[in-house]
PDB file of all heavy atoms in Angstrom:
ATOM      1  N   LEU O 340      30.424   9.351  -6.873  1.00 97.00           N
ATOM      2  CA  LEU O 340      30.875   8.096  -6.266  1.00 97.00           C
ATOM      3  C   LEU O 340      31.235   7.095  -7.353  1.00 97.00           C
ATOM      4  O   LEU O 340      30.631   7.092  -8.422  1.00 97.00           O
ATOM      5  CB  LEU O 340      29.759   7.511  -5.383  1.00 97.00           C
ATOM      6  CG  LEU O 340      29.414   8.296  -4.110  1.00 97.00           C
ATOM      7  CD1 LEU O 340      28.192   7.676  -3.443  1.00 97.00           C
ATOM      8  CD2 LEU O 340      30.600   8.315  -3.146  1.00 97.00           C
ATOM      9  N   PRO O 341      32.191   6.218  -7.074  1.00 96.00           N
ATOM     10  CA  PRO O 341      32.555   5.223  -8.082  1.00 96.00           C
ATOM     11  C   PRO O 341      31.420   4.226  -8.317  1.00 96.00           C
ATOM     12  O   PRO O 341      30.687   3.880  -7.397  1.00 96.00           O
ATOM     13  CB  PRO O 341      33.769   4.500  -7.496  1.00 96.00           C
ATOM     14  CG  PRO O 341      34.214   5.313  -6.334  1.00 96.00           C
ATOM     15  CD  PRO O 341      33.039   6.116  -5.865  1.00 96.00           C
ATOM     16  N   TYR O 342      31.313   3.786  -9.566  1.00 97.00           N
ATOM     17  CA  TYR O 342      30.277   2.856  -9.997  1.00 97.00           C
ATOM     18  C   TYR O 342      30.915   1.484 -10.103  1.00 97.00           C
ATOM     19  O   TYR O 342      31.885   1.297 -10.819  1.00 97.00           O
ATOM     20  CB  TYR O 342      29.766   3.348 -11.353  1.00 97.00           C
ATOM     21  CG  TYR O 342      28.801   2.461 -12.091  1.00 97.00           C
ATOM     22  CD1 TYR O 342      27.425   2.574 -11.884  1.00 97.00           C
ATOM     23  CD2 TYR O 342      29.246   1.545 -13.038  1.00 97.00           C
ATOM     24  CE1 TYR O 342      26.533   1.793 -12.596  1.00 97.00           C
ATOM     25  CE2 TYR O 342      28.355   0.755 -13.752  1.00 97.00           C
ATOM     26  CZ  TYR O 342      26.998   0.882 -13.524  1.00 97.00           C
ATOM     27  OH  TYR O 342      26.106   0.105 -14.238  1.00 97.00           O
ATOM     28  N   ARG O 343      30.425   0.516  -9.331  1.00 96.00           N
ATOM     29  CA  ARG O 343      31.005  -0.834  -9.393  1.00 96.00           C
ATOM     30  C   ARG O 343      29.909  -1.864  -9.593  1.00 96.00           C
ATOM     31  O   ARG O 343      28.897  -1.849  -8.875  1.00 96.00           O
ATOM     32  CB  ARG O 343      31.752  -1.174  -8.074  1.00 96.00           C
ATOM     33  CG  ARG O 343      32.866  -0.234  -7.689  1.00 96.00           C
ATOM     34  CD  ARG O 343      34.000  -0.211  -8.701  1.00 96.00           C
ATOM     35  NE  ARG O 343      34.809  -1.407  -8.756  1.00 96.00           N
ATOM     36  CZ  ARG O 343      35.912  -1.618  -8.024  1.00 96.00           C
ATOM     37  NH1 ARG O 343      36.333  -0.723  -7.146  1.00 96.00           N
ATOM     38  NH2 ARG O 343      36.597  -2.723  -8.172  1.00 96.00           N
ATOM     39  N   GLU O 344      30.152  -2.801 -10.498  1.00 95.00           N
ATOM     40  CA  GLU O 344      29.151  -3.852 -10.734  1.00 95.00           C
ATOM     41  C   GLU O 344      29.452  -5.004  -9.782  1.00 95.00           C
ATOM     42  O   GLU O 344      30.068  -5.995 -10.153  1.00 95.00           O
ATOM     43  CB  GLU O 344      29.195  -4.299 -12.196  1.00 95.00           C
ATOM     44  CG  GLU O 344      28.907  -3.170 -13.168  1.00 95.00           C
ATOM     45  CD  GLU O 344      27.688  -3.446 -14.041  1.00 95.00           C
ATOM     46  OE1 GLU O 344      27.054  -4.509 -13.890  1.00 95.00           O
ATOM     47  OE2 GLU O 344      27.358  -2.576 -14.860  1.00 95.00           O
ATOM     48  N   ALA O 345      28.982  -4.898  -8.565  1.00 97.00           N
ATOM     49  CA  ALA O 345      29.309  -5.878  -7.532  1.00 97.00           C
ATOM     50  C   ALA O 345      28.285  -7.004  -7.448  1.00 97.00           C
ATOM     51  O   ALA O 345      28.440  -7.940  -6.674  1.00 97.00           O
ATOM     52  CB  ALA O 345      29.427  -5.181  -6.190  1.00 97.00           C
ATOM     53  N   ILE O 346      27.233  -6.869  -8.232  1.00 96.00           N
ATOM     54  CA  ILE O 346      26.215  -7.926  -8.271  1.00 96.00           C
ATOM     55  C   ILE O 346      26.117  -8.395  -9.719  1.00 96.00           C
ATOM     56  O   ILE O 346      25.908  -7.585 -10.624  1.00 96.00           O
ATOM     57  CB  ILE O 346      24.842  -7.417  -7.785  1.00 96.00           C
ATOM     58  CG1 ILE O 346      24.994  -6.719  -6.421  1.00 96.00           C
ATOM     59  CG2 ILE O 346      23.850  -8.551  -7.701  1.00 96.00           C
ATOM     60  CD1 ILE O 346      23.713  -6.090  -5.918  1.00 96.00           C
ATOM     61  N   VAL O 347      26.312  -9.685  -9.904  1.00 93.00           N
ATOM     62  CA  VAL O 347      26.399 -10.214 -11.259  1.00 93.00           C
ATOM     63  C   VAL O 347      25.191 -11.100 -11.550  1.00 93.00           C
ATOM     64  O   VAL O 347      24.935 -12.053 -10.816  1.00 93.00           O
ATOM     65  CB  VAL O 347      27.695 -11.044 -11.417  1.00 93.00           C
ATOM     66  CG1 VAL O 347      27.748 -11.680 -12.807  1.00 93.00           C
ATOM     67  CG2 VAL O 347      28.908 -10.170 -11.188  1.00 93.00           C
ATOM     68  N   PRO O 348      24.452 -10.774 -12.586  1.00 89.00           N
ATOM     69  CA  PRO O 348      23.291 -11.621 -12.907  1.00 89.00           C
ATOM     70  C   PRO O 348      23.711 -12.864 -13.665  1.00 89.00           C
ATOM     71  O   PRO O 348      24.708 -12.847 -14.387  1.00 89.00           O
ATOM     72  CB  PRO O 348      22.455 -10.722 -13.808  1.00 89.00           C
ATOM     73  CG  PRO O 348      23.447  -9.848 -14.491  1.00 89.00           C
ATOM     74  CD  PRO O 348      24.600  -9.659 -13.522  1.00 89.00           C
ATOM     75  N   ASN O 349      22.960 -13.930 -13.483  1.00 84.00           N
ATOM     76  CA  ASN O 349      23.156 -15.136 -14.294  1.00 84.00           C
ATOM     77  C   ASN O 349      22.308 -14.981 -15.539  1.00 84.00           C
ATOM     78  O   ASN O 349      21.088 -14.947 -15.472  1.00 84.00           O
ATOM     79  CB  ASN O 349      22.744 -16.387 -13.509  1.00 84.00           C
ATOM     80  CG  ASN O 349      23.016 -17.659 -14.297  1.00 84.00           C
ATOM     81  OD1 ASN O 349      23.083 -17.641 -15.521  1.00 84.00           O
ATOM     82  ND2 ASN O 349      23.202 -18.744 -13.589  1.00 84.00           N
ATOM     83  N   ARG O 350      22.989 -14.900 -16.677  1.00 76.00           N
ATOM     84  CA  ARG O 350      22.288 -14.624 -17.936  1.00 76.00           C
ATOM     85  C   ARG O 350      21.423 -15.782 -18.408  1.00 76.00           C
ATOM     86  O   ARG O 350      20.595 -15.628 -19.288  1.00 76.00           O
ATOM     87  CB  ARG O 350      23.307 -14.323 -19.037  1.00 76.00           C
ATOM     88  CG  ARG O 350      24.091 -13.068 -18.810  1.00 76.00           C
ATOM     89  CD  ARG O 350      23.217 -11.864 -19.086  1.00 76.00           C
ATOM     90  NE  ARG O 350      23.882 -10.636 -18.633  1.00 76.00           N
ATOM     91  CZ  ARG O 350      23.269  -9.716 -17.927  1.00 76.00           C
ATOM     92  NH1 ARG O 350      22.006  -9.857 -17.579  1.00 76.00           N
ATOM     93  NH2 ARG O 350      23.907  -8.644 -17.548  1.00 76.00           N
ATOM     94  N   TYR O 351      21.647 -16.943 -17.861  1.00 73.00           N
ATOM     95  CA  TYR O 351      20.974 -18.108 -18.419  1.00 73.00           C
ATOM     96  C   TYR O 351      19.768 -18.554 -17.603  1.00 73.00           C
ATOM     97  O   TYR O 351      19.175 -19.570 -17.869  1.00 73.00           O
ATOM     98  CB  TYR O 351      21.962 -19.275 -18.548  1.00 73.00           C
ATOM     99  CG  TYR O 351      23.076 -18.930 -19.467  1.00 73.00           C
ATOM    100  CD1 TYR O 351      24.291 -18.468 -18.982  1.00 73.00           C
ATOM    101  CD2 TYR O 351      22.897 -19.026 -20.841  1.00 73.00           C
ATOM    102  CE1 TYR O 351      25.315 -18.125 -19.853  1.00 73.00           C
ATOM    103  CE2 TYR O 351      23.907 -18.688 -21.704  1.00 73.00           C
ATOM    104  CZ  TYR O 351      25.124 -18.237 -21.203  1.00 73.00           C
ATOM    105  OH  TYR O 351      26.123 -17.898 -22.059  1.00 73.00           O
ATOM    106  N   VAL O 352      19.433 -17.798 -16.578  1.00 60.00           N
ATOM    107  CA  VAL O 352      18.313 -18.205 -15.762  1.00 60.00           C
ATOM    108  C   VAL O 352      17.038 -18.102 -16.578  1.00 60.00           C
ATOM    109  O   VAL O 352      16.685 -17.040 -17.069  1.00 60.00           O
ATOM    110  CB  VAL O 352      18.197 -17.349 -14.497  1.00 60.00           C
ATOM    111  CG1 VAL O 352      16.903 -17.665 -13.780  1.00 60.00           C
ATOM    112  CG2 VAL O 352      19.382 -17.604 -13.605  1.00 60.00           C
ATOM    113  N   GLY O 353      16.398 -19.204 -16.754  1.00 55.00           N
ATOM    114  CA  GLY O 353      15.114 -19.217 -17.442  1.00 55.00           C
ATOM    115  C   GLY O 353      14.123 -19.825 -16.491  1.00 55.00           C
ATOM    116  O   GLY O 353      14.128 -19.550 -15.296  1.00 55.00           O
ATOM    117  N   ARG O 354      13.269 -20.653 -17.016  1.00 52.00           N
ATOM    118  CA  ARG O 354      12.373 -21.385 -16.159  1.00 52.00           C
ATOM    119  C   ARG O 354      13.159 -22.414 -15.379  1.00 52.00           C
ATOM    120  O   ARG O 354      14.031 -23.078 -15.928  1.00 52.00           O
ATOM    121  CB  ARG O 354      11.338 -22.120 -17.005  1.00 52.00           C
ATOM    122  CG  ARG O 354      10.647 -21.229 -17.977  1.00 52.00           C
ATOM    123  CD  ARG O 354       9.146 -21.351 -17.851  1.00 52.00           C
ATOM    124  NE  ARG O 354       8.563 -20.144 -18.435  1.00 52.00           N
ATOM    125  CZ  ARG O 354       8.614 -19.865 -19.737  1.00 52.00           C
ATOM    126  NH1 ARG O 354       9.179 -20.700 -20.560  1.00 52.00           N
ATOM    127  NH2 ARG O 354       8.071 -18.762 -20.192  1.00 52.00           N
ATOM    128  N   THR O 355      12.848 -22.557 -14.107  1.00 50.00           N
ATOM    129  CA  THR O 355      13.504 -23.607 -13.348  1.00 50.00           C
ATOM    130  C   THR O 355      12.437 -24.425 -12.656  1.00 50.00           C
ATOM    131  O   THR O 355      11.303 -23.988 -12.497  1.00 50.00           O
ATOM    132  CB  THR O 355      14.453 -23.042 -12.277  1.00 50.00           C
ATOM    133  OG1 THR O 355      13.671 -22.623 -11.164  1.00 50.00           O
ATOM    134  CG2 THR O 355      15.265 -21.892 -12.805  1.00 50.00           C
ATOM    135  N   PHE O 356      12.805 -25.610 -12.291  1.00 52.00           N
ATOM    136  CA  PHE O 356      11.838 -26.497 -11.649  1.00 52.00           C
ATOM    137  C   PHE O 356      11.705 -26.167 -10.168  1.00 52.00           C
ATOM    138  O   PHE O 356      10.979 -26.810  -9.438  1.00 52.00           O
ATOM    139  CB  PHE O 356      12.287 -27.949 -11.797  1.00 52.00           C
ATOM    140  CG  PHE O 356      13.444 -28.285 -10.893  1.00 52.00           C
ATOM    141  CD1 PHE O 356      13.241 -28.900  -9.667  1.00 52.00           C
ATOM    142  CD2 PHE O 356      14.733 -27.917 -11.249  1.00 52.00           C
ATOM    143  CE1 PHE O 356      14.302 -29.181  -8.830  1.00 52.00           C
ATOM    144  CE2 PHE O 356      15.789 -28.191 -10.423  1.00 52.00           C
ATOM    145  CZ  PHE O 356      15.581 -28.828  -9.205  1.00 52.00           C
ATOM    146  N   ILE O 357      12.460 -25.142  -9.723  1.00 52.00           N
ATOM    147  CA  ILE O 357      12.541 -24.886  -8.288  1.00 52.00           C
ATOM    148  C   ILE O 357      11.178 -24.514  -7.713  1.00 52.00           C
ATOM    149  O   ILE O 357      10.480 -23.666  -8.240  1.00 52.00           O
ATOM    150  CB  ILE O 357      13.602 -23.799  -8.028  1.00 52.00           C
ATOM    151  CG1 ILE O 357      14.969 -24.388  -8.361  1.00 52.00           C
ATOM    152  CG2 ILE O 357      13.543 -23.311  -6.597  1.00 52.00           C
ATOM    153  CD1 ILE O 357      16.110 -23.425  -8.183  1.00 52.00           C
ATOM    154  N   LYS O 358      10.829 -25.162  -6.622  1.00 53.00           N
ATOM    155  CA  LYS O 358       9.540 -24.941  -5.979  1.00 53.00           C
ATOM    156  C   LYS O 358       9.628 -23.733  -5.052  1.00 53.00           C
ATOM    157  O   LYS O 358      10.679 -23.450  -4.496  1.00 53.00           O
ATOM    158  CB  LYS O 358       9.167 -26.180  -5.148  1.00 53.00           C
ATOM    159  CG  LYS O 358       9.119 -27.460  -5.936  1.00 53.00           C
ATOM    160  CD  LYS O 358       7.857 -27.563  -6.779  1.00 53.00           C
ATOM    161  CE  LYS O 358       7.972 -28.737  -7.736  1.00 53.00           C
ATOM    162  NZ  LYS O 358       8.619 -29.920  -7.137  1.00 53.00           N
ATOM    163  N   PRO O 359       8.500 -23.061  -4.866  1.00 51.00           N
ATOM    164  CA  PRO O 359       8.536 -21.820  -4.101  1.00 51.00           C
ATOM    165  C   PRO O 359       8.510 -22.012  -2.577  1.00 51.00           C
ATOM    166  O   PRO O 359       7.696 -21.421  -1.897  1.00 51.00           O
ATOM    167  CB  PRO O 359       7.291 -21.082  -4.597  1.00 51.00           C
ATOM    168  CG  PRO O 359       6.356 -22.158  -5.022  1.00 51.00           C
ATOM    169  CD  PRO O 359       7.175 -23.341  -5.409  1.00 51.00           C
ATOM    170  N   THR O 360       9.381 -22.811  -2.043  1.00 62.00           N
ATOM    171  CA  THR O 360       9.556 -22.838  -0.600  1.00 62.00           C
ATOM    172  C   THR O 360      10.536 -21.717  -0.248  1.00 62.00           C
ATOM    173  O   THR O 360      11.265 -21.231  -1.100  1.00 62.00           O
ATOM    174  CB  THR O 360      10.148 -24.173  -0.135  1.00 62.00           C
ATOM    175  OG1 THR O 360      11.469 -24.286  -0.694  1.00 62.00           O
ATOM    176  CG2 THR O 360       9.314 -25.342  -0.625  1.00 62.00           C
ATOM    177  N   PRO O 361      10.531 -21.292   1.038  1.00 66.00           N
ATOM    178  CA  PRO O 361      11.456 -20.204   1.409  1.00 66.00           C
ATOM    179  C   PRO O 361      12.901 -20.549   1.070  1.00 66.00           C
ATOM    180  O   PRO O 361      13.628 -19.752   0.486  1.00 66.00           O
ATOM    181  CB  PRO O 361      11.244 -20.069   2.921  1.00 66.00           C
ATOM    182  CG  PRO O 361       9.874 -20.602   3.158  1.00 66.00           C
ATOM    183  CD  PRO O 361       9.662 -21.680   2.147  1.00 66.00           C
ATOM    184  N   GLU O 362      13.314 -21.774   1.413  1.00 69.00           N
ATOM    185  CA  GLU O 362      14.694 -22.177   1.133  1.00 69.00           C
ATOM    186  C   GLU O 362      14.958 -22.139  -0.374  1.00 69.00           C
ATOM    187  O   GLU O 362      16.004 -21.686  -0.829  1.00 69.00           O
ATOM    188  CB  GLU O 362      14.940 -23.592   1.680  1.00 69.00           C
ATOM    189  CG  GLU O 362      16.203 -24.287   1.207  1.00 69.00           C
ATOM    190  CD  GLU O 362      17.485 -23.529   1.557  1.00 69.00           C
ATOM    191  OE1 GLU O 362      17.432 -22.631   2.439  1.00 69.00           O
ATOM    192  OE2 GLU O 362      18.514 -23.807   0.953  1.00 69.00           O
ATOM    193  N   GLN O 363      13.972 -22.579  -1.121  1.00 68.00           N
ATOM    194  CA  GLN O 363      14.128 -22.598  -2.568  1.00 68.00           C
ATOM    195  C   GLN O 363      14.180 -21.177  -3.119  1.00 68.00           C
ATOM    196  O   GLN O 363      14.897 -20.896  -4.069  1.00 68.00           O
ATOM    197  CB  GLN O 363      12.967 -23.364  -3.220  1.00 68.00           C
ATOM    198  CG  GLN O 363      12.952 -24.835  -2.882  1.00 68.00           C
ATOM    199  CD  GLN O 363      13.867 -25.648  -3.790  1.00 68.00           C
ATOM    200  OE1 GLN O 363      14.883 -25.158  -4.242  1.00 68.00           O
ATOM    201  NE2 GLN O 363      13.502 -26.885  -4.032  1.00 68.00           N
ATOM    202  N   ARG O 364      13.382 -20.271  -2.531  1.00 68.00           N
ATOM    203  CA  ARG O 364      13.407 -18.900  -3.014  1.00 68.00           C
ATOM    204  C   ARG O 364      14.782 -18.287  -2.787  1.00 68.00           C
ATOM    205  O   ARG O 364      15.302 -17.562  -3.621  1.00 68.00           O
ATOM    206  CB  ARG O 364      12.330 -18.056  -2.336  1.00 68.00           C
ATOM    207  CG  ARG O 364      12.282 -16.645  -2.906  1.00 68.00           C
ATOM    208  CD  ARG O 364      11.141 -15.828  -2.370  1.00 68.00           C
ATOM    209  NE  ARG O 364       9.874 -16.457  -2.680  1.00 68.00           N
ATOM    210  CZ  ARG O 364       8.908 -16.675  -1.789  1.00 68.00           C
ATOM    211  NH1 ARG O 364       9.071 -16.307  -0.534  1.00 68.00           N
ATOM    212  NH2 ARG O 364       7.789 -17.259  -2.136  1.00 68.00           N
ATOM    213  N   ARG O 365      15.359 -18.624  -1.648  1.00 74.00           N
ATOM    214  CA  ARG O 365      16.702 -18.134  -1.370  1.00 74.00           C
ATOM    215  C   ARG O 365      17.661 -18.631  -2.457  1.00 74.00           C
ATOM    216  O   ARG O 365      18.472 -17.875  -2.990  1.00 74.00           O
ATOM    217  CB  ARG O 365      17.138 -18.637   0.022  1.00 74.00           C
ATOM    218  CG  ARG O 365      18.236 -17.829   0.644  1.00 74.00           C
ATOM    219  CD  ARG O 365      18.227 -17.971   2.154  1.00 74.00           C
ATOM    220  NE  ARG O 365      16.943 -17.578   2.709  1.00 74.00           N
ATOM    221  CZ  ARG O 365      16.283 -18.239   3.673  1.00 74.00           C
ATOM    222  NH1 ARG O 365      16.807 -19.324   4.199  1.00 74.00           N
ATOM    223  NH2 ARG O 365      15.125 -17.808   4.087  1.00 74.00           N
TER     224      ARG O 365
END
Side-chain angles (χ1 to χ4, degrees):
Chain O
L340 292 173
Y342 173 89
R343 302 297 290 270
E344 300 240 0
I346 309 175
V347 176
N349 183 336
R350 295 286 169 227
Y351 299 97
V352 172
R354 308 232 159 68
T355 79
F356 74 97
I357 292 179
K358 303 283 170 39
T360 64
E362 167 59 17
Q363 294 276 32
R364 184 174 300 130
R365 201 156 303 137

